[in-house]
Structures are given as C-alpha cells and as structure tokens.
C-alpha cells in the first residue's frame, strides 16, 4: 500500500512538471545568466514603431492656401495681393506632388509677356509628369506676367520690366509689388528654379542655359541639362534668377527661340533638357536605364552609361556699324569661321551694302531677325566652345560682362524721388 502511494505521488509530480513546461510562454532564465529581458513574441509591434515616422514620409504641400497631397496634381491660381490683378486673369500654378520624397523644382515662364515659347514649355512639362512616379515636387507657372501676356507685350501696364524688380517690395511700384508677391508665394517653396525666356526685341536664341558659374551651387545645377549650351552670365540686379540664387535657391535662365511666336523645335529641345534635369537630380526614372516599363533604376546600369555633357561657351556680341535693313546670311546654331560674312546691312536711301563679319570662329547662339536696325545694334551672338574649368576661371575674372539682354532700352530709368518711385 505504501509503495503504491509512493509511486502515485511520483507520477503526479512528473505530470505537474510536464504541464508547467507546456504552459510556459517564455523559457525560464537560468540562474546566473543574462539579466536582459527576453525578446517579445514575433509579430508584436513595439511602441517606438508607432512613434517614429519613416524617414522618406511625404506629407502634403501647403501652398496658396491649399494642400496638395502626395501622388496628385492640382492646378491653383495666383494673384498678387492688394488687388493689383483684380481685373486680370489669374496666373495658373500647376503643382505636381510626387508620391516619393525629393526636391522641389520650380519651372516658370511668361515673366516677359510676349515670350510664349516658355509658356508652352512649362505647360507641357507641368501637365505631362506622372505624380505617382515622381520623387519630389514640380511647381509650374507658365504665365507670371498675365498683364503683358494678355496684351502681347513684354512689359507691365506701366511699361516696367518685371524681370528687373525681384525680389520686390510690398510698398514699391506695381512691378515691385508683383515681384514681391510672387517671390513670397511661389519662390519660397523652391529648391531649384528654371526661368524660361526667349530672345528680346526681335532676336532669337539657340536653346541655352545662362548661369552665374562663379557660384558653386549654380555651376553644379547647370551640369544636369544634358548636352545643352551653358553660357556664363552673372545676370542683372532684379532678375528672378539672381534674386532666387541670393536666397539659396540655385537658379538659371533657359533661353529658347524668339518672342511672340511658337517654335516647335526649340520647345521640344527645352522639354527634353528639363526631363534630363529631373533624371539627373533623381526626380524621375531614366527610361534608358530600365529594361522594361515600370522597372526601377539599376544603379550599375546608370553608372556605366555616359551622361550627355553640357557644352560650355564663352561669347561675344557682334554689332552693326551702320543703320539700314539687316539681312542675315547664317542660321541659328551654325558654326562660322573668323572673317565669314554673317549678314549685311543695306542703306535703302544711298543704295549701299555693308557686311557684318565674324571676328572669331564660333557658333551662332543668338541673332537678330531680319529687320531695320540702327548703328550699334547687337545683331549676332557668337559662342566659342571652352572647357568647364576654363569657363569658371573666366567667369571669376571676366574681360567683358555678358548680359542677358544686349541693349539697355528695357531697363528702368533712374528713380525719381519726387514722385516716390521705387526701383529695387
């Protein structure tokens, strides 16, 4: 009897020990082992997983009193404050907020109302980007100067050039107030800026990037446009790109074609250059680097593929030495030799022809359209190819300052304190 009780007690002890081991969720820490707490069960989220947001989280963009959510495009309207444009159509602002994180690229045109190539370039780019495949944001403003655009003129209603007044002032002239409003409402959101223009006063420009190459951030930015001509130009005070760069936004001017007309070839070249810019800055996938549609970039393929290099140029204007009717004998983009005839100026009264000769060998990157000219009129813009290093060195110590506009007729006169005029 005692032996049976003894065996029963031993069996009960073994049964209880086995039950306890099966009911234990975590292994028992052996004496003298590690004092750190055991890991939680697989699948259980820790508190910090909820509190720490992902590093690449894309939030809605707050602009012009609206929120543009990631992966969408929204067309907004901009008007300068103070009722300046109450009687005018508003400036359209197309905001494409990418689904992935990245920089904010601003594309603006129509600062001069008659330069409509840029209007079409920005419209085409702003509405052609897929926001679900974009890393970053593109803000497109195809018409900044709606006053000039609606009238087909370069200027504002008071004949001021808007591109001489940035960043503007809240209490200055109408040009200064419009510039200030645009700068505060739009440019303050930008990480990079491209301002589109054409030749001025019946001149046409080969598609080209104009940049202040003495600024490292602008030089780096200018390398991303593929095989596009890059010309050093410090710009003039009051230009949008000069004012933007001064506040830390790398900016360039992109010149393409002539004013008051639409030129499909120049537009297509500019669009291709901006698409290349977005690939180079990581905003878009490079279709040439993917083996099929929708495939992600292969870094090894990208590293082995040579990128189109920009073409750095020095330049100089060739002017007419006599007045009359200008007839060009070269085309935009043509390469010429030193001494080659660029065109002729005909005096219709004296029936005399005088030739304009190329002082150096180079490439025609800008030229006046056939028209009546006065002595000293800037007729041909010649560029000579140089290396990036040479362009930067000459930009730092130039012999001649190359301005965006060769003639000063569109620049504001000296301020007149008697009437309270304000020229920033």
């Amino acid at each position: 009897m005692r032996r049976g009780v003894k065996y029963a007690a031993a069996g009960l002890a073994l049964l209880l020990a086995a039950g306890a081991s099966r009911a234990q969720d975590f292994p028992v820490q052996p004496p003298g082992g590690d004092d750190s707490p055991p890991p939680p069960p697989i699948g259980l989220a820790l508190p910090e997983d909820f509190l720490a947001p992902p590093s690449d989280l894309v939030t809605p963009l707050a602009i012009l009193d609206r929120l543009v959510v990631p992966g969408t495009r929204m067309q907004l309207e901009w008007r300068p404050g103070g009722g300046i444009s109450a009687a005018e159509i508003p400036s359209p602002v197309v905001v494409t907020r990418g689904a992935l994180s990245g920089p904010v690229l601003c594309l603006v045109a129509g600062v001069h109302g008659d330069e409509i190539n840029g209007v079409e370039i920005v419209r085409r780019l702003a509405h052609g980007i897929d926001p679900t495949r974009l890393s970053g944001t593109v803000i497109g403003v195809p018409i900044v100067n709606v006053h000039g655009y609606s009238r087909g003129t370069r200027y504002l209603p008071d004949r001021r050039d808007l591109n001489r007044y940035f960043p503007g002032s809240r209490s200055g002239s109408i040009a200064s107030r419009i510039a200030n409003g645009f700068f505060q409402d739009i440019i303050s959101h930008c990480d990079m800026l491209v301002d589109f223009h054409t030749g001025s006063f019946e001149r046409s420009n080969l598609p080209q990037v104009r940049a202040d190459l003495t600024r490292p951030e602008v030089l780096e930015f200018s390398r991303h446009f593929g095989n596009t001509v890059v010309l050093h130009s410090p710009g003039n005070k009051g230009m949008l790109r000069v004012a933007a760069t001064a506040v830390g936004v790398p900016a360039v001017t992109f010149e393409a074609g002539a004013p008051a007309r639409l030129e499909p070839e120049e537009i297509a070249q500019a669009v291709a250059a901006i698409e290349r810019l977005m690939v180079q800055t990581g905003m878009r996938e490079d279709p040439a680097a993917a083996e099929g549609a929708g495939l992600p970039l292969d870094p090894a393929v990208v590293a082995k593929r040579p990128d189109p290099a920009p073409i750095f140029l020095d330049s100089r204007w060739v002017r007419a030495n006599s007045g009359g009717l200008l007839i060009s004998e070269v085309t935009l983009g043509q390469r010429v030799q030193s001494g080659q005839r660029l065109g002729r100026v005909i005096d219709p009264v004296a029936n005399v022809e005088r030739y304009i000769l190329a002082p150096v060998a180079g490439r025609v990157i800008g030229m006046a359209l056939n028209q009546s000219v006065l002595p000293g009129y800037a007729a041909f813009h010649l560029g000579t190819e140089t290396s990036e290093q040479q362009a930067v060195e000459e930009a730092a110590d130039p012999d001649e300052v190359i301005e965006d506009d060769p003639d000063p007729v569109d620049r504001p006169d000296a301020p007149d304190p008697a009437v309270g005029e304000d020229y920033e």
Side-chain angles (χ1 to χ4, degrees), residues 50-262:
F50 295 103
L51 300 178
S55 59
D56 58 347
L57 177 66
V58 182
T59 60
L61 175 66
I63 182 172
L64 300 178
D65 299 323
R66 301 291 294 274
L67 289 176
V68 184
V69 300
T72 66
R73 175 170 36 249
M74 182 179 294
Q75 179 162 324
L76 310 177
E77 296 180 349
W78 175 78
R79 295 178 187 269
I84 295 174
S85 296
E88 297 285 344
I89 59 174
S91 295
V93 179
V94 182
V95 182
T96 306
R97 184 68 162 168
L100 305 173
S101 61
V104 178
L105 171 64
C106 288
L107 307 174
V108 303
V111 172
H112 294 139
D114 62 341
E115 298 180 355
I116 58 177
N117 272 345
V119 175
E120 171 58 13
I121 292 167
V122 174
R123 183 207 66 81
R124 191 176 298 183
L125 287 163
H127 289 280
I129 299 169
D130 182 357
T132 64
R133 302 178 65 84
L134 178 66
S135 297
T137 302
V138 175
I139 300 176
V141 187
I143 310 170
V144 178
N145 179 7
V146 293
H147 298 271
Y149 175 78
S150 62
R151 294 168 173 81
T153 178
R154 175 184 180 90
Y155 301 105
L156 292 168
D158 62 354
R159 198 170 163 73
R160 282 184 169 89
D161 185 336
L162 180 58
N163 206 32
R164 297 296 182 273
Y165 287 87
F166 292 100
S169 167
R170 296 180 61 184
S171 57
S173 64
I174 181 174
S176 187
R177 295 180 187 216
I178 292 175
N180 178 259
F182 187 75
F183 211 80
Q184 299 299 323
D185 295 339
I186 305 297
I187 303 303
S188 62
H189 296 279
C190 305
D191 295 322
M192 304 175 289
L193 170 66
V194 181
D195 182 18
F196 289 92
H197 287 265
T198 70
S200 59
F201 308 112
E202 293 301 306
R203 294 185 183 88
S204 182
N205 285 328
L206 187 74
Q208 60 193 257
V209 171
R210 295 186 178 179
D212 185 354
L213 301 182
T214 62
R215 305 189 69 112
E217 69 278 15
V218 177
L219 172 62
E220 177 63 27
F221 187 39
S222 69
R223 293 172 175 150
H224 298 321
F225 293 85
N227 56 345
T228 303
V229 166
V230 176
L231 180 65
H232 169 64
S233 175
N236 299 316
K237 181 180 179 182
M239 286 183 174
L240 177 55
R241 70 174 171 95
V242 173
T245 301
V247 297
V249 179
V252 300
T253 297
F254 198 113
E255 296 274 345
R261 66 209 70 197
L262 289 172

